[in-house]
Amino acid sequence: MMNKKSTLQKKPIGVFDSGMGGISVLKNLVSILPQENFIFYGDSANAPYGVKTVEEVKNLSRKNVKHLLNEGAKMIVVACNTATSAAINDLRKENPDVPFIGLEPAVKPAVEHKPNSKVGVMATPLTLKQKKFKELKSKYSNEATIEPIPAPNLVEFVEKGDVNSKELKTYLSNLLSDYTNVDSIVLGCTHFPFAINAIRKVMGEDVFIIDGGPGAAREARNILEQNDLLNPQNERGWIKFENSTGEYEKIDLSHKLFKMNLE
């Protein structure tokens, strides 16, 4: 008979995003926590979050968390920069017994990559307006020039499974034409790593590109270790994909994105 701790350890990690971009974070999580079980919930019915109000994002995030906790999640990964910025403080207060991991633009490693450099931060408009980003920008203002790059439509390309079309490259060329002199690009939205190859073609091989997914995955592992919540099983865990649209096509695309090579 399993004790309470053992039962809790075997519960899944809940991961949610405004759509399917958070699958890029899920890939990082599975890579360093292969024995864990995961439920990924994509709220594609309400995507994108980055053009909504803060209150709308908070309410949608609450619904997503409630759904994952009802499915038995032992930890919640908010695999969405916009939802992290707008809602994670409230989510932690409202669910004090649940460990939460959030995403934020990986500005620090971009700044450290090259002294006195110019760092472009691609993100949704709402993420760039939030206090969390403004604090990050201020923190590193003496070490680098931080340039916000609002990219409101890139989420919708990825939601359609379009990560390499002529239309996407045209959109990125127009978006990034004013930022050709940056040394680094921070992908401040979890959808954006799926377009990394297209971004690289526009910006060139010399530009350093980074996202926050690996750091969030490491933080998740550390929190699980500290709370003795790591799944002790030796075999690989399972992954369940869910989507608020209920459409088979979204689940099918979720599997395809999960298998995609992001190098």
Side-chain angles (χ1 to χ4, degrees):
M1 187 172 176
M2 289 193 295
N3 60 32
K4 189 175 179 182
K5 175 63 74 175
S6 178
T7 302
L8 190 58
Q9 288 170 337
K10 293 184 186 304
K11 287 189 172 186
I13 296 169
V15 184
F16 82 83
D17 180 39
S18 60
M20 290 177 283
I23 293 169
S24 66
V25 180
L26 178 66
K27 287 167 71 69
N28 287 296
L29 288 162
V30 172
S31 177
I32 70 168
L33 293 165
Q35 79 284 6
E36 294 291 339
N37 302 315
F38 293 92
I39 301 172
F40 179 86
Y41 185 75
D43 189 16
S44 294
N46 294 296
Y49 281 10
V51 295
K52 297 186 185 301
T53 68
V54 171
E55 276 310 307
E56 285 173 326
V57 174
K58 284 183 179 182
N59 289 330
L60 290 167
S61 298
R62 287 187 183 105
K63 286 181 184 176
N64 299 338
V65 168
K66 184 178 180 182
H67 173 80
L68 289 167
L69 292 179
N70 285 342
E71 295 226 2
K74 65 181 177 182
M75 166 185 270
I76 302 288
V77 179
V78 184
C80 174
N81 293 77
T82 301
T84 298
S85 296
I88 199 164
N89 290 338
D90 286 20
L91 295 174
R92 284 175 170 144
K93 286 176 191 170
E94 293 160 12
N95 304 276
D97 298 327
V98 180
F100 279 86
I101 303 296
L103 266 288
E104 66 175 33
V107 172
K108 181 182 178 183
V111 170
E112 291 174 345
H113 178 72
K114 183 179 178 182
N116 303 312
S117 62
K118 194 166 188 176
V119 177
V121 182
M122 289 178 69
T124 65
L126 186 56
T127 295
L128 296 173
K129 287 178 191 169
Q130 288 298 294
K131 183 182 176 185
K132 190 178 278 283
F133 173 70
K134 289 176 180 174
E135 287 174 348
L136 266 177
K137 187 179 177 186
S138 175
K139 183 177 180 180
Y140 296 104
S141 60
N142 292 330
E143 299 173 59
T145 302
I146 312 293
E147 289 273 0
I149 307 175
N153 300 323
L154 187 49
V155 167
E156 291 171 57
F157 280 96
V158 176
E159 282 293 303
K160 293 183 290 187
D162 181 354
V163 297
N164 208 24
S165 71
K166 184 179 177 183
E167 290 75 17
L168 173 62
K169 287 168 188 166
T170 299
Y171 169 73
L172 288 170
S173 294
N174 292 333
L175 176 75
L176 297 169
S177 61
D178 292 334
Y179 304 97
T180 53
N181 61 341
V182 299
D183 300 289
S184 304
I185 290 275
V186 175
L187 303 180
C189 171
T190 58
H191 283 77
F192 296 178
F194 288 107
I196 191 169
N197 290 325
I199 294 167
R200 209 171 256 134
K201 280 174 185 169
V202 171
M203 296 303 295
E205 292 293 327
D206 293 337
V207 174
F208 178 65
I209 303 176
I210 189 168
D211 73 276
R218 289 191 295 270
E219 177 69 5
R221 181 180 60 190
N222 291 342
I223 296 297
L224 290 171
E225 285 175 347
Q226 290 165 19
N227 290 278
D228 195 20
L229 287 174
L230 285 169
N231 193 323
Q233 69 182 6
N234 293 319
E235 65 269 21
R236 288 187 73 87
W238 48 260
I239 304 168
K240 181 182 180 183
F241 288 100
E242 300 179 334
N243 195 278
S244 59
T245 63
E247 297 170 3
Y248 167 77
E249 290 79 10
K250 293 293 186 186
I251 301 300
D252 186 50
L253 180 55
S254 296
H255 284 278
K256 287 176 181 172
L257 289 171
F258 182 74
K259 292 173 184 173
M260 190 179 291
N261 184 356
L262 300 184
E263 294 304 316

